[in-house]
Amino acid sequence: GKYKYILIKVHDPDKDREFKFIVRGTSKCGFHADIYDKVVGDIESKGLDCEVLGGGRIEHEPNKKSIKIYGYSQQYGRADHSITQTLLLRKYKDYEHITWSNEGY
């Protein structure tokens, strides 16, 4: 399916220069900010800080082992889709096509 996603930088406020990127998306959210609202509480409850680096859209076709990353968020701007691609390549190791483009909305 097609859905919106955000790229988030999570870091421990007590440790300088230690951070992790995470990708979160769902078809249940109409706006990129709704995705953030769903995850921020869980992150902050662990004593961590986070910031949204941008957003976009993901088209996921599990039957074709294909993911397309594209577009941008009107609220957060465009995520660095190459970072998102790297994270998804780690998670979906058996997928043949995980591509990104700055085209589209």
Side-chain angles (χ1 to χ4, degrees):
K2 291 182 186 176
Y3 50 90
K4 294 178 179 182
Y5 89 90
I6 55 176
L7 179 63
I8 303 170
K9 182 178 180 180
V10 179
H11 54 94
D12 185 332
D14 299 327
K15 297 180 183 171
D16 283 344
R17 290 176 284 205
E18 281 191 32
F19 63 89
K20 179 179 184 177
F21 295 117
I22 62 172
V23 173
R24 295 293 181 265
T26 178
S27 60
K28 297 181 172 115
C29 292
F31 297 97
H32 290 94
D34 296 337
I35 301 168
Y36 178 74
D37 291 342
K38 286 177 81 85
V39 301
V40 66
D42 190 41
I43 293 167
E44 290 179 346
S45 72
K46 294 177 173 65
L48 302 171
D49 288 338
C50 62
E51 66 179 296
V52 179
L53 301 178
R57 287 174 169 62
I58 289 177
E59 186 175 326
H60 187 185
E61 296 182 84
N63 57 330
K64 293 183 179 177
K65 296 192 178 201
S66 171
I67 297 175
K68 294 177 187 168
I69 307 153
Y70 64 97
Y72 63 93
S73 162
Q74 287 187 328
Q75 182 163 12
Y76 298 119
R78 185 182 325 276
D80 184 336
H81 297 321
S82 66
I83 295 172
T84 303
Q85 179 190 36
T86 299
L87 295 172
L88 293 178
L89 283 166
R90 283 187 208 149
K91 179 162 178 65
Y92 297 96
K93 292 177 176 30
D94 62 333
Y95 273 45
E96 296 166 21
H97 301 287
I98 299 180
T99 60
W100 66 270
S101 166
N102 283 330
E103 301 301 311
Y105 164 69

